[in-house]
Amino acid sequence: MKRMHPAVVRIMHWTNAIAMVIMIMSGWKIYNDEVIFGFLHFPDAITLGPWAQHGLQWHFFGMWILGLNGLAYLIYGLVSGRFRRLLLPISPREVIREALAALRFRLQHADLTHYNAVQKTLYVGVILVIILQVISGLAIWKPVQFSFLTALFYDFQGARLAHFFGMVAICLFIVVHVSLALLVPKTLLAMITGGPRVDDDPAARASSAPASNM
Amino acid sequence: MSILRRPTSLFRPRRGPDQSLLTEHRALIEDIDRRKLLRGAVSLGALSMLTGCNIAEQSQVQSALRTVSSFNDWVQARIFDPNKLAPTYSVDQVVKPPRFNAYYEIEDVKPVDLASWKLELSGLIADKRPWSLDQIYAFPEQEEIIKHICVEGWDYIGQWSGPNLRQFLTRIGADLTAKYVAFHGQDDYMESIDMASALHPQTILATKYAGEPITDPFGAPLRLRTAVKLGFKNPKWVRAIEVTNTYQEGFWEKQGFNWFSGL
């Protein structure tokens, strides 16, 4: 019997959390050096590094943690079947129904081992955004060597813009994710201790899956 | 459609501000700068007391981050493809004048005396005789319309011409197997680049912008323009070129910016 969140997943989750904080806060520092929107400056108190160059140092350090950890997570998720088991399938009708329920604070998450449709959408969504963020990041870092990536975003400024909105999307995810985790503290605890034990046998799992989510 | 066809980015004005405004309001600007300096001095002092961070700890983090930055130099040198060309643009996309940028303000530019100017050569070079401006002008010219990308995040398209650096280095008998080429500016600005980038087909010693000799604020009479490095790796007002195997930290690397800074 395995834990719902095996140790390797927990380690990767918290590594990613740290990397994300480094990337976002140092990114804000870099952004401040040449703002995209005149009305938006990030206060120094929430940026990383005293000057832009230190923000860049942090960003180009954090990218290795984020990139390597993210790659390990994707490979693990695909090979172990975790993605297929926990994140798929996503039915649009369910997403709408459960999103409406969530807005009325009636969304159930009694069974930790099963993600509801809203969770699935958010998790798949943020994984895709982070992948896109790596691509736009590479497009900004190497607009000549990886000019084919930069071209995906029209040009260098397009890549900067995409990188900015990717950050916004991730920040929104973090707000929702952390709020919900705090509202249902046992989910937070599960990501620390591993959570309930789950059966490895798919047949047994299928029969024990709660009908309410089907 | 019209948005897509704009020559520069969506978020930058097509033209820079009128630079005569700066001279007109010089006194005011200097006054504001003095106030900024005072405020900066006060808040920096206050900050170091408030944070409670100990300085030794800070410098350990800093040295770790610089180690990663050196590793990133190595990675970038491996990513670098000497035959990969940067995108080029058309004449009507060229921004005139180019955008001014230096570690000081435009009114503090000290123009180079063109009559006495010579390009000094040093290091692993067979023929170290200095070059006069006329000799440089007589050298075959290469023109390129490329994007200048600043580490800050802005960019503009510029039209530069002058001797191709590889051809120039070959002519003066430079050791093309050396590791670095360093460029010393009149303004005590120095930046060194790796030999592979120096030999890239889009690396030139620019003497002209949009077909006219480069003007004082933009590096007259000669500056480096390479399509494969960030803007700050392109020193202006170049007075000496040095070919060497010794790594030298340039002006901005000393402040913590990444050395390779390849595009």
PDB file of all heavy atoms in Angstrom, chain A residues 179-193:
ATOM      1  N   SER A 179      -5.283  29.048  -0.984  1.00  0.00           N
ATOM      2  CA  SER A 179      -6.524  29.311  -0.236  1.00  0.00           C
ATOM      3  C   SER A 179      -7.278  28.017   0.007  1.00  0.00           C
ATOM      4  O   SER A 179      -7.730  27.739   1.128  1.00  0.00           O
ATOM      5  CB  SER A 179      -7.435  30.259  -1.008  1.00  0.00           C
ATOM      6  OG  SER A 179      -6.722  31.377  -1.426  1.00  0.00           O
ATOM      7  N   LEU A 180      -7.423  27.212  -1.056  1.00  0.00           N
ATOM      8  CA  LEU A 180      -8.184  25.972  -0.912  1.00  0.00           C
ATOM      9  C   LEU A 180      -7.473  25.001   0.026  1.00  0.00           C
ATOM     10  O   LEU A 180      -8.115  24.313   0.827  1.00  0.00           O
ATOM     11  CB  LEU A 180      -8.434  25.330  -2.281  1.00  0.00           C
ATOM     12  CG  LEU A 180      -9.405  26.107  -3.187  1.00  0.00           C
ATOM     13  CD1 LEU A 180      -9.583  25.393  -4.514  1.00  0.00           C
ATOM     14  CD2 LEU A 180     -10.752  26.304  -2.499  1.00  0.00           C
ATOM     15  N   ALA A 181      -6.136  24.971  -0.071  1.00  0.00           N
ATOM     16  CA  ALA A 181      -5.376  24.066   0.808  1.00  0.00           C
ATOM     17  C   ALA A 181      -5.569  24.475   2.266  1.00  0.00           C
ATOM     18  O   ALA A 181      -5.664  23.631   3.151  1.00  0.00           O
ATOM     19  CB  ALA A 181      -3.904  24.074   0.429  1.00  0.00           C
ATOM     20  N   LEU A 182      -5.659  25.781   2.500  1.00  0.00           N
ATOM     21  CA  LEU A 182      -5.844  26.245   3.880  1.00  0.00           C
ATOM     22  C   LEU A 182      -7.283  26.009   4.350  1.00  0.00           C
ATOM     23  O   LEU A 182      -7.525  25.753   5.529  1.00  0.00           O
ATOM     24  CB  LEU A 182      -5.485  27.732   3.996  1.00  0.00           C
ATOM     25  CG  LEU A 182      -3.997  28.040   3.799  1.00  0.00           C
ATOM     26  CD1 LEU A 182      -3.748  29.549   3.838  1.00  0.00           C
ATOM     27  CD2 LEU A 182      -3.125  27.338   4.851  1.00  0.00           C
ATOM     28  N   LEU A 183      -8.238  26.071   3.396  1.00  0.00           N
ATOM     29  CA  LEU A 183      -9.636  25.810   3.742  1.00  0.00           C
ATOM     30  C   LEU A 183      -9.847  24.339   4.093  1.00  0.00           C
ATOM     31  O   LEU A 183     -10.696  23.996   4.925  1.00  0.00           O
ATOM     32  CB  LEU A 183     -10.551  26.186   2.564  1.00  0.00           C
ATOM     33  CG  LEU A 183     -10.957  27.648   2.453  1.00  0.00           C
ATOM     34  CD1 LEU A 183     -11.764  27.856   1.174  1.00  0.00           C
ATOM     35  CD2 LEU A 183     -11.773  28.076   3.674  1.00  0.00           C
ATOM     36  N   VAL A 184      -9.116  23.457   3.433  1.00  0.00           N
ATOM     37  CA  VAL A 184      -9.193  22.017   3.712  1.00  0.00           C
ATOM     38  C   VAL A 184      -7.806  21.566   4.176  1.00  0.00           C
ATOM     39  O   VAL A 184      -7.057  20.972   3.416  1.00  0.00           O
ATOM     40  CB  VAL A 184      -9.639  21.225   2.453  1.00  0.00           C
ATOM     41  CG1 VAL A 184     -10.005  19.786   2.808  1.00  0.00           C
ATOM     42  CG2 VAL A 184     -10.799  21.923   1.749  1.00  0.00           C
ATOM     43  N   PRO A 185      -7.466  21.845   5.428  1.00  0.00           N
ATOM     44  CA  PRO A 185      -6.076  21.681   5.889  1.00  0.00           C
ATOM     45  C   PRO A 185      -5.525  20.265   5.715  1.00  0.00           C
ATOM     46  O   PRO A 185      -4.319  20.095   5.592  1.00  0.00           O
ATOM     47  CB  PRO A 185      -6.145  22.057   7.368  1.00  0.00           C
ATOM     48  CG  PRO A 185      -7.377  22.862   7.511  1.00  0.00           C
ATOM     49  CD  PRO A 185      -8.333  22.357   6.488  1.00  0.00           C
ATOM     50  N   LYS A 186      -6.418  19.256   5.679  1.00  0.00           N
ATOM     51  CA  LYS A 186      -5.877  17.908   5.556  1.00  0.00           C
ATOM     52  C   LYS A 186      -5.216  17.688   4.189  1.00  0.00           C
ATOM     53  O   LYS A 186      -4.351  16.821   4.056  1.00  0.00           O
ATOM     54  CB  LYS A 186      -6.957  16.855   5.818  1.00  0.00           C
ATOM     55  CG  LYS A 186      -8.104  16.886   4.866  1.00  0.00           C
ATOM     56  CD  LYS A 186      -9.152  15.857   5.231  1.00  0.00           C
ATOM     57  CE  LYS A 186     -10.353  16.023   4.309  1.00  0.00           C
ATOM     58  NZ  LYS A 186     -11.419  15.077   4.561  1.00  0.00           N
ATOM     59  N   THR A 187      -5.578  18.505   3.186  1.00  0.00           N
ATOM     60  CA  THR A 187      -4.901  18.382   1.888  1.00  0.00           C
ATOM     61  C   THR A 187      -3.463  18.878   2.001  1.00  0.00           C
ATOM     62  O   THR A 187      -2.542  18.313   1.416  1.00  0.00           O
ATOM     63  CB  THR A 187      -5.608  19.212   0.796  1.00  0.00           C
ATOM     64  OG1 THR A 187      -5.663  20.573   1.216  1.00  0.00           O
ATOM     65  CG2 THR A 187      -7.004  18.699   0.510  1.00  0.00           C
ATOM     66  N   LEU A 188      -3.296  19.939   2.792  1.00  0.00           N
ATOM     67  CA  LEU A 188      -1.957  20.486   3.008  1.00  0.00           C
ATOM     68  C   LEU A 188      -1.119  19.466   3.782  1.00  0.00           C
ATOM     69  O   LEU A 188       0.039  19.198   3.457  1.00  0.00           O
ATOM     70  CB  LEU A 188      -2.070  21.801   3.791  1.00  0.00           C
ATOM     71  CG  LEU A 188      -0.776  22.533   4.121  1.00  0.00           C
ATOM     72  CD1 LEU A 188      -0.015  22.878   2.858  1.00  0.00           C
ATOM     73  CD2 LEU A 188      -1.067  23.796   4.912  1.00  0.00           C
ATOM     74  N   LEU A 189      -1.757  18.896   4.794  1.00  0.00           N
ATOM     75  CA  LEU A 189      -1.080  17.888   5.618  1.00  0.00           C
ATOM     76  C   LEU A 189      -0.662  16.695   4.760  1.00  0.00           C
ATOM     77  O   LEU A 189       0.431  16.148   4.919  1.00  0.00           O
ATOM     78  CB  LEU A 189      -2.050  17.428   6.716  1.00  0.00           C
ATOM     79  CG  LEU A 189      -1.397  17.022   8.034  1.00  0.00           C
ATOM     80  CD1 LEU A 189      -0.678  18.206   8.654  1.00  0.00           C
ATOM     81  CD2 LEU A 189      -2.435  16.452   8.984  1.00  0.00           C
ATOM     82  N   ALA A 190      -1.539  16.322   3.805  1.00  0.00           N
ATOM     83  CA  ALA A 190      -1.253  15.167   2.944  1.00  0.00           C
ATOM     84  C   ALA A 190      -0.011  15.404   2.098  1.00  0.00           C
ATOM     85  O   ALA A 190       0.735  14.466   1.805  1.00  0.00           O
ATOM     86  CB  ALA A 190      -2.456  14.872   2.050  1.00  0.00           C
ATOM     87  N   MET A 191       0.219  16.663   1.725  1.00  0.00           N
ATOM     88  CA  MET A 191       1.393  16.951   0.901  1.00  0.00           C
ATOM     89  C   MET A 191       2.664  16.990   1.759  1.00  0.00           C
ATOM     90  O   MET A 191       3.764  17.052   1.247  1.00  0.00           O
ATOM     91  CB  MET A 191       1.189  18.278   0.147  1.00  0.00           C
ATOM     92  CG  MET A 191       2.121  18.509  -1.031  1.00  0.00           C
ATOM     93  SD  MET A 191       2.484  17.063  -2.065  1.00  0.00           S
ATOM     94  CE  MET A 191       1.261  17.193  -3.368  1.00  0.00           C
ATOM     95  N   ILE A 192       2.490  16.911   3.087  1.00  0.00           N
ATOM     96  CA  ILE A 192       3.653  16.856   3.975  1.00  0.00           C
ATOM     97  C   ILE A 192       3.892  15.413   4.436  1.00  0.00           C
ATOM     98  O   ILE A 192       5.001  14.898   4.356  1.00  0.00           O
ATOM     99  CB  ILE A 192       3.451  17.801   5.181  1.00  0.00           C
ATOM    100  CG1 ILE A 192       3.346  19.250   4.693  1.00  0.00           C
ATOM    101  CG2 ILE A 192       4.611  17.659   6.173  1.00  0.00           C
ATOM    102  CD1 ILE A 192       2.856  20.227   5.737  1.00  0.00           C
ATOM    103  N   THR A 193       2.817  14.758   4.900  1.00  0.00           N
ATOM    104  CA  THR A 193       2.986  13.411   5.467  1.00  0.00           C
ATOM    105  C   THR A 193       2.739  12.304   4.449  1.00  0.00           C
ATOM    106  O   THR A 193       3.090  11.156   4.679  1.00  0.00           O
ATOM    107  CB  THR A 193       2.016  13.206   6.634  1.00  0.00           C
ATOM    108  OG1 THR A 193       0.679  13.324   6.125  1.00  0.00           O
ATOM    109  CG2 THR A 193       2.232  14.236   7.725  1.00  0.00           C
TER     110      THR A 193
END
